[in-house]
Amino acid sequence: MRNYHSVLILKPDLDEDQVDQSVEKITSIINKFGGSILKLDKWGKKRLAYRIKKNKFGYYLNVYHTCEQGRVLDLEKGYQLYEQIIKYLVIRLEERDIVRVMDKDKESAAESAKDSAAEENRSEETVAAGEPDKS
Amino acid sequence: MKNQRKKRTLFTQKICRFCSEKIEHIDFFDIKLLKPLISERGKIVPSRISGNCARHQRQMTEAIKRARNIALLPFSVEH
């Protein structure tokens, strides 16, 4: 089992429901090849630096996931066959890279937890300490 | 000649910007970091001009190439 980082560009003319649908579909594609999603970000609609399949804009998805060894080519094929994806990029991550990503995530979660705790009350520090563990 | 002089003034200090900011790993989706290191035409600025150290220049070129692949940065800018 290895860790991977995929950036997917979806068609720009999707509304929120359709985006959620395609996220589900992508999840099922990844699960099909023995992987699971570690982290999923929606970067939202962005202007592309160049036209892709006649689109000037694209909806970016940023996915950290695992995949069974040797089945990444099949996964990429799955991306290609899904018509909502106009472009994709899959990168293999080393163990330290995924640790770094998750640490960064934890830090930001801890920070936000700290902020919210500071806003609420200083006495509720146990909540702030408990939250980063969940993520 | 004129252009060259212009560029020289853009990167006056010859210090690796990644070393000075203590950036260990350059993410290819960090466009704010990479944008100053491509020229007007979308070319990668050589380390001779930007002053980056060899290690970070290697990381940076890879990051820029990945960003180009996923349309975050242009391959070329047409005039």
Side-chain angles (χ1 to χ4, degrees):
Chain A
M1 206 64 114
R2 274 208 161 118
N3 300 311
Y4 295 89
H5 178 194
S6 292
V7 182
L8 308 164
I9 307 179
L10 306 177
K11 280 183 181 168
D13 46 0
L14 302 174
D15 52 38
E16 283 300 313
D17 296 341
Q18 282 169 312
V19 169
D20 288 339
Q21 268 178 29
S22 40
V23 166
E24 268 174 37
K25 171 87 179 171
I26 288 157
T27 315
S28 73
I29 291 173
I30 291 171
N31 287 338
K32 202 171 135 195
F33 297 108
S36 60
I37 289 186
L38 301 172
K39 194 184 157 202
L40 193 141
D41 292 333
K42 286 176 190 166
W43 284 347
K45 206 170 148 187
K46 280 191 178 194
R47 176 179 269 278
L48 303 172
Y50 51 88
R51 284 173 152 223
I52 301 173
K53 293 187 185 165
K54 295 184 181 167
N55 293 302
K56 278 188 174 174
F57 290 88
Y59 194 98
Y60 277 79
L61 283 180
N62 187 30
V63 193
Y64 293 95
H65 59 91
T66 58
C67 186
E68 226 169 87
Q69 244 161 351
R71 296 193 74 182
V72 187
L73 284 178
D74 299 336
L75 179 73
E76 289 188 7
K77 201 100 191 179
Y79 286 159
Q80 275 172 25
L81 290 174
Y82 186 41
E83 66 278 0
Q84 304 290 9
I85 296 173
I86 54 175
K87 190 134 174 121
Y88 64 89
L89 176 74
V90 183
I91 288 170
R92 198 179 84 199
L93 293 179
E94 301 298 334
E95 201 55 50
R96 59 190 152 93
D97 292 328
I98 198 76
V99 167
R100 183 171 47 76
V101 169
M102 290 302 155
D103 276 359
K104 209 189 260 178
D105 205 33
K106 254 184 200 172
E107 253 173 43
S108 58
E111 260 172 37
S112 62
K114 229 184 246 172
D115 288 347
S116 61
E119 275 170 25
E120 282 168 16
N121 220 334
R122 291 248 167 174
S123 60
E124 290 178 2
E125 270 177 10
T126 47
V127 180
E131 262 174 24
D133 292 334
K134 270 180 205 167
S135 66
Chain B
M1 212 39 210
K2 231 180 193 176
N3 257 339
Q4 256 184 358
R5 212 174 287 154
K6 240 185 187 175
K7 227 168 238 171
R8 281 276 153 77
T9 52
L10 261 175
F11 299 93
T12 41
Q13 3 102 271
K14 290 265 181 173
I15 310 160
C16 177
R17 60 177 65 200
F18 299 109
C19 286
S20 58
E21 284 176 35
K22 296 202 171 133
I23 295 167
E24 271 292 302
H25 187 272
I26 304 169
D27 287 317
F28 68 88
F29 46 80
D30 198 347
I31 299 305
K32 265 187 196 162
L33 198 68
L34 298 176
K35 210 64 194 252
L37 292 162
I38 59 169
S39 76
E40 228 173 274
R41 294 296 300 257
K43 289 180 173 184
I44 298 171
V45 176
S47 63
R48 159 168 59 85
I49 289 163
S50 65
N52 286 339
C53 70
R55 182 164 165 265
H56 279 120
Q57 182 74 12
R58 276 198 302 276
Q59 282 188 18
M60 190 204 80
T61 48
E62 195 175 316
I64 288 178
K65 283 168 186 177
R66 280 176 176 169
R68 278 178 182 165
N69 194 322
I70 204 70
L72 291 171
L73 290 178
F75 280 102
S76 71
V77 184
E78 277 172 31
H79 279 282

